[in-house]
Amino acid sequence: MSTSISELIAEKIDAMPASERRAAQTLIANYPLIGLRTVAEFSGQAGVSSPTILRFVARLGFQSYPEFQSALQEELAAQVQSPWNRAATIQRPKGGATFPLMEAAIENIRETFQHLSAQQLDDVTNAISRNRSRLYLLGGRFTDPIATYMAAHLKIVRTGVTHLAGQESHWRDQLIDMGKKDVLIVFDIRRYQDSLLRFAEKAQARGVEIVLVTDQWLSPIARFAKHVIAGRTAVPSPWDSSAALFLIAETLVAEVTRKLEQSSADRIHDLEQLRDT
């Protein structure tokens, strides 16, 4: 699978001048639709010049704006595919791999972490390590088990962790206690869940800092997120694989545990003592 435009941006954004970074951030926040508009419309929304948009596109490796738009159109088509659509196009490799899905999942993990910068990881780790912030985790139909898994670990190493389980009405009830110091981690992959989008929008309006863990095509929640981590999910199956997303979650848990070294060690020690009594 070719590198997605969101992955290219993650790879190159630290080296971009400020004007191109604004173009990148505008595209991520309106992915991929703003990139399918004219250069003038894109530049107007980003607040930069048209030549800046063309330089940004060239920095990503495209020879022209139409080539860039063609790549976005392909991603948009992949983004809306259903399992039924994917089942009709899967071809089992001839010879070679005995376990093609396993090999694809391993490659997804490699590609995901190749495009995850140290700065991204540090920024998200810092956000979810703030003990004065309450931390909320939420996922969709197939990704909520990752939120549950991550919350179970984080509850051990820090206070104030809540997994938003159950129906959407229950999530909304939690909004009253959510504010500017708080962080919401959302897991959302194609076909993106409208209920998660609605909740993220309301949380962001209350000043909550949103961390989005999504696929390479980017959930529309990206427009409300301060931090976006894109993991690869496509495998030779009608179903997407969450293996890379689970490893992102485990990596963040490990980084938070390391950052909160003393307090997390104290909490783990106290928990062990409580279990022994």
Side-chain angles (χ1 to χ4, degrees), residues 108-164:
N108 281 348
I109 291 170
R110 287 197 186 98
E111 289 291 333
T112 294
F113 282 83
Q114 180 179 323
H115 297 102
L116 175 60
S117 72
Q119 187 63 56
Q120 274 183 294
L121 187 59
D122 284 348
D123 290 345
V124 175
T125 299
N126 289 337
I128 63 181
S129 295
R130 295 196 304 262
N131 269 319
R132 284 181 294 179
S133 300
R134 287 168 296 189
L135 180 62
Y136 299 86
L137 297 96
L138 176 64
R141 181 181 179 188
F142 294 114
T143 54
D144 197 53
I146 313 173
T148 304
Y149 178 80
M150 188 173 181
H153 284 78
L154 290 174
K155 283 178 181 179
I156 295 172
V157 300
R158 55 153 293 174
T159 60
V161 177
T162 301
H163 171 235
L164 298 172

Side-chain angles (χ1 to χ4, degrees), residues 73-84:
Q73 286 168 343
E74 289 180 10
E75 289 189 22
L76 184 59
Q79 195 182 76
V80 298
Q81 279 186 337
S82 70
W84 183 85

